[in-house]
Amino acid sequence: MKIKTNKINSANAQIEAEIPKSMIDENVEKIAKKLTKTASVQGFRKGKVPANVIKKQYGERLIQDAESEALREVLNRGLDELKIAMNALIGEPNITKFNKDTDKIEVSVTIATRPEINLENYKEMVPEFQKPVISDEDVEKRLEKIADAQGKFVDLKEQRAAQNGDSAIIDFEGSIDGELFEGGAAKEFALVLGSGQFIPGFEEQVVGMNIGEEKVVKVKFPESYGSEKLAGKDAEFKVKLHNIQEKAKVEIDDAFATKMLAGQDDKSLENLKSQVKKQLEYEALSKLYNDELKPTLLETFVAKMQFDLPEFVVEQEIDVALNRKASMMSEEEIQELRENADKLQELRETFRDDAQRSVRATFIIDALATAEKVRVDENEVMQTIYYEAMQMGQDPRVAYDNYKNAGYLPAIQMSMVEDKVLTQILNSKIEA
């Protein structure tokens, strides 16, 4: 068997071979001989089936198995010549050529290996930065917001018109062109004015009403409204205001702190302020990381860390982008691409730069995770999905199973690894 290898670059290589027919014949004989010991053929005792009977019964399958055996030999010998270990391969070897002739088979196999990334100076690429500063005023504003959320609505002490922040107790009845519509009426509904709970324009027209007053509120449903019957339609609501409640002010004092810090040893107002400040610092740092530092740092790594990419991985990324684009195209546009190979290739090439950046970033994060000893196991992924599902009022187990069945868990895990490793790297550069 003739073999020729070509190491295209540090991540891609090609193995070409000529497999003589004699080698396939030898493999057929060898496989048939093995089958004589295990095959069950009617009329023969097990282990006593002649080889010629085996070849007659399993004919084409024997040839396919013999060719597969020869391909494995091609790969093993090619990797030996290239000095590449089998476990260094990424993905399955790609057979790009398999031409059968009367006396030989011409084969071409493309392989890809994990890129070698030089991380020697990666910490020098990370800029130092100041930790966000939280002022006493920021803490007071957050405490006021927390206190406001704890406040309860009570009847007005002095009569006045409804204003933003009030809870207006109303009856309403909606109609379009004089006809009532389903879900458009309620009795003694508590509507917090300014909350944006109702469609735009409704709450604004309730502001200024007095207890006992009736009014026709005219609004237009948004074009994007969930119901097709109502979307974009002009509507009228007969509104009667029964009562106005205002939110009782909650004092920010030791009693408030005691309530908020239930279960803690130190229930002082100073401790509450300290904890609120820490939370604000965490939120500000997270926002700085996610909005600015992490995207910029990853782009820096991608720009400065140059290495060869496995071509088939880039092509797969292009396929994903192309399929995403196709899902937004009309049937006519898709048909045009099917009929015009040049145009399809031209469209594919528009995704290449982004695909290469994405693949490069993925390998960089993987290498950095190893360097920083960052791991995210399946249990951590499950906990994250469970927590987010509970926050949204969903069944955590169902949410996890849906992600798993859709094949999204690896992508979620990779995203968590990226977040964790970049956070760890940035944490080392915070200036006090």
Side-chain angles (χ1 to χ4, degrees), residues 6-68:
N6 175 27
K7 194 164 187 179
I8 300 168
N9 53 42
S10 61
N12 301 278
Q14 190 172 47
I15 304 169
E16 294 182 341
E18 279 189 10
I19 305 171
K21 185 177 182 299
S22 58
M23 183 176 182
I24 303 299
D25 293 339
E26 287 174 12
N27 286 348
V28 168
E29 291 295 333
K30 187 167 53 177
I31 296 168
K33 189 174 181 180
K34 285 183 181 178
L35 281 174
T36 61
K37 299 176 182 178
T38 58
S40 297
V41 178
Q42 190 173 4
F44 295 91
R45 283 186 299 158
K46 192 171 183 179
K48 300 294 183 179
V49 184
N52 65 321
V53 175
I54 292 290
K55 285 189 278 186
K56 185 176 180 181
Q57 178 157 330
Y58 294 98
E60 187 59 34
R61 178 181 160 187
L62 282 178
I63 294 173
Q64 290 174 357
D65 288 348
E67 290 172 351
S68 295

Side-chain angles (χ1 to χ4, degrees), residues 34-212:
K34 285 183 181 178
L35 281 174
T36 61
K37 299 176 182 178
T38 58
S40 297
V41 178
Q42 190 173 4
F44 295 91
R45 283 186 299 158
K46 192 171 183 179
K48 300 294 183 179
V49 184
N52 65 321
V53 175
I54 292 290
K55 285 189 278 186
K56 185 176 180 181
Q57 178 157 330
Y58 294 98
E60 187 59 34
R61 178 181 160 187
L62 282 178
I63 294 173
Q64 290 174 357
D65 288 348
E67 290 172 351
S68 295
E69 185 68 30
L71 283 173
R72 280 192 288 273
E73 180 67 16
V74 168
L75 180 62
N76 289 334
R77 286 178 55 179
L79 290 177
D80 284 345
E81 285 193 16
L82 290 164
K83 294 181 173 53
I84 295 175
M86 185 70 77
N87 60 11
L89 299 185
I90 294 180
E92 293 293 324
N94 183 22
I95 300 174
T96 55
K97 178 182 176 183
F98 190 82
N99 294 340
K100 294 178 69 171
D101 206 342
T102 54
D103 60 342
K104 65 179 182 299
I105 300 175
E106 293 181 342
V107 175
S108 182
V109 182
T110 301
I111 59 173
T113 59
R114 184 170 297 280
E116 297 177 3
I117 305 174
N118 183 0
L119 295 179
E120 185 178 350
N121 301 315
Y122 77 91
K123 290 187 178 180
E124 296 175 11
M125 302 179 195
V126 187
E128 293 186 349
F129 60 95
Q130 295 285 338
K131 188 176 182 179
V133 177
I134 303 300
S135 66
D136 292 341
E137 184 181 356
D138 295 328
V139 174
E140 290 299 327
K141 285 181 180 178
R142 176 58 62 88
L143 284 171
E144 288 171 5
K145 189 174 181 180
I146 295 172
D148 182 66
Q150 295 294 312
K152 296 182 179 179
F153 284 102
V154 296
D155 291 341
L156 293 175
K157 294 179 181 178
E158 297 181 5
Q159 295 301 310
R160 59 167 173 77
Q163 60 188 32
N164 278 330
D166 289 339
S167 177
I169 313 303
I170 60 173
D171 295 343
F172 62 87
E173 185 180 73
S175 62
I176 294 176
D177 296 331
E179 293 187 15
L180 302 180
F181 57 86
E182 186 178 354
K187 296 287 187 182
E188 297 189 3
F189 184 91
L191 174 62
V192 178
L193 301 178
S195 65
Q197 185 177 356
F198 276 24
I199 60 176
F202 188 100
E203 295 171 26
E204 290 85 344
Q205 295 178 63
V206 176
V207 170
M209 289 181 66
N210 291 290
I211 294 174

Side-chain angles (χ1 to χ4, degrees), residues 251-270:
E251 295 297 329
I252 301 174
D253 52 18
D254 287 334
F256 174 69
T258 299
K259 180 181 177 181
M260 297 306 299
L261 298 174
Q264 297 190 28
D265 293 335
D266 185 355
K267 298 183 177 64
S268 66
L269 182 57
E270 284 306 309

Side-chain angles (χ1 to χ4, degrees), residues 314-329:
V314 175
E315 293 299 324
Q316 286 180 343
E317 190 71 16
I318 292 174
D319 287 339
V320 170
L322 185 62
N323 289 334
R324 193 182 301 120
K325 176 70 174 178
S327 68
M328 298 182 287
M329 296 171 70

Side-chain angles (χ1 to χ4, degrees), residues 14 132 168 251 291 299-300 334 360 363 369:
Q14 190 172 47
E251 295 297 329
D291 292 354
E299 282 300 315
T300 298
I334 293 175
R360 191 177 301 279
F363 281 115

Side-chain angles (χ1 to χ4, degrees), residues 142-410:
R142 176 58 62 88
L143 284 171
E144 288 171 5
K145 189 174 181 180
I146 295 172
D148 182 66
Q150 295 294 312
K152 296 182 179 179
F153 284 102
V154 296
D155 291 341
L156 293 175
K157 294 179 181 178
E158 297 181 5
Q159 295 301 310
R160 59 167 173 77
Q163 60 188 32
N164 278 330
D166 289 339
S167 177
I169 313 303
I170 60 173
D171 295 343
F172 62 87
E173 185 180 73
S175 62
I176 294 176
D177 296 331
E179 293 187 15
L180 302 180
F181 57 86
E182 186 178 354
K187 296 287 187 182
E188 297 189 3
F189 184 91
L191 174 62
V192 178
L193 301 178
S195 65
Q197 185 177 356
F198 276 24
I199 60 176
F202 188 100
E203 295 171 26
E204 290 85 344
Q205 295 178 63
V206 176
V207 170
M209 289 181 66
N210 291 290
I211 294 174
E213 183 179 347
E214 296 184 17
K215 184 177 185 180
V216 174
V217 171
K218 297 182 178 181
V219 293
K220 183 174 183 176
F221 282 93
E223 296 291 343
S224 59
Y225 195 71
S227 169
E228 291 184 6
K229 293 181 179 178
L230 302 179
K233 298 290 180 63
D234 292 316
E236 291 186 353
F237 286 85
K238 292 180 181 178
V239 178
K240 181 174 181 179
L241 180 60
H242 288 291
N243 194 15
I244 300 172
Q245 294 183 322
E246 62 183 350
K247 188 171 283 188
K249 183 176 176 59
V250 175
E251 295 297 329
I252 301 174
D253 52 18
D254 287 334
F256 174 69
T258 299
K259 180 181 177 181
M260 297 306 299
L261 298 174
Q264 297 190 28
D265 293 335
D266 185 355
K267 298 183 177 64
S268 66
L269 182 57
E270 284 306 309
N271 185 34
L272 177 59
K273 289 181 177 180
S274 175
Q275 293 195 24
V276 168
K277 185 173 185 177
K278 287 178 182 177
Q279 179 62 29
L280 287 172
E281 287 174 344
Y282 172 78
E283 291 174 7
L285 190 60
S286 295
K287 181 174 175 57
L288 177 63
Y289 276 12
N290 295 325
D291 292 354
E292 298 179 33
L293 298 181
K294 285 181 183 177
T296 301
L297 181 57
L298 188 54
E299 282 300 315
T300 298
F301 287 153
V302 169
K304 293 186 176 182
M305 294 183 186
Q306 295 300 309
F307 50 89
D308 298 319
L309 300 175
E311 280 304 316
F312 91 92
V313 180
V314 175
E315 293 299 324
Q316 286 180 343
E317 190 71 16
I318 292 174
D319 287 339
V320 170
L322 185 62
N323 289 334
R324 193 182 301 120
K325 176 70 174 178
S327 68
M328 298 182 287
M329 296 171 70
S330 67
E331 187 58 40
E332 291 78 9
E333 290 173 316
I334 293 175
Q335 186 60 34
E336 186 180 356
L337 291 177
R338 288 189 184 125
E339 296 172 354
N340 190 331
D342 290 339
K343 190 164 187 177
L344 176 59
Q345 185 60 31
E346 184 181 329
L347 179 59
R348 281 182 61 83
E349 289 304 310
T350 63
F351 302 116
R352 185 167 297 277
D353 287 347
D354 286 343
Q356 289 176 336
R357 278 194 292 271
S358 177
V359 171
R360 191 177 301 279
T362 298
F363 281 115
I364 288 172
I365 290 297
D366 187 53
L368 288 172
T370 300
E372 292 282 329
K373 297 181 174 58
V374 169
R375 292 182 66 254
V376 173
D377 58 28
E378 186 177 350
N379 188 53
E380 195 171 343
V381 174
M382 180 184 289
Q383 289 177 350
T384 299
I385 294 173
Y386 271 39
Y387 177 76
E388 291 182 354
M390 288 187 291
Q391 291 287 96
M392 298 173 66
Q394 299 174 349
D395 184 322
R397 184 76 240 181
V398 172
Y400 179 80
D401 288 342
N402 287 341
Y403 281 122
K404 186 175 183 179
N405 294 335
Y408 292 152
L409 293 188

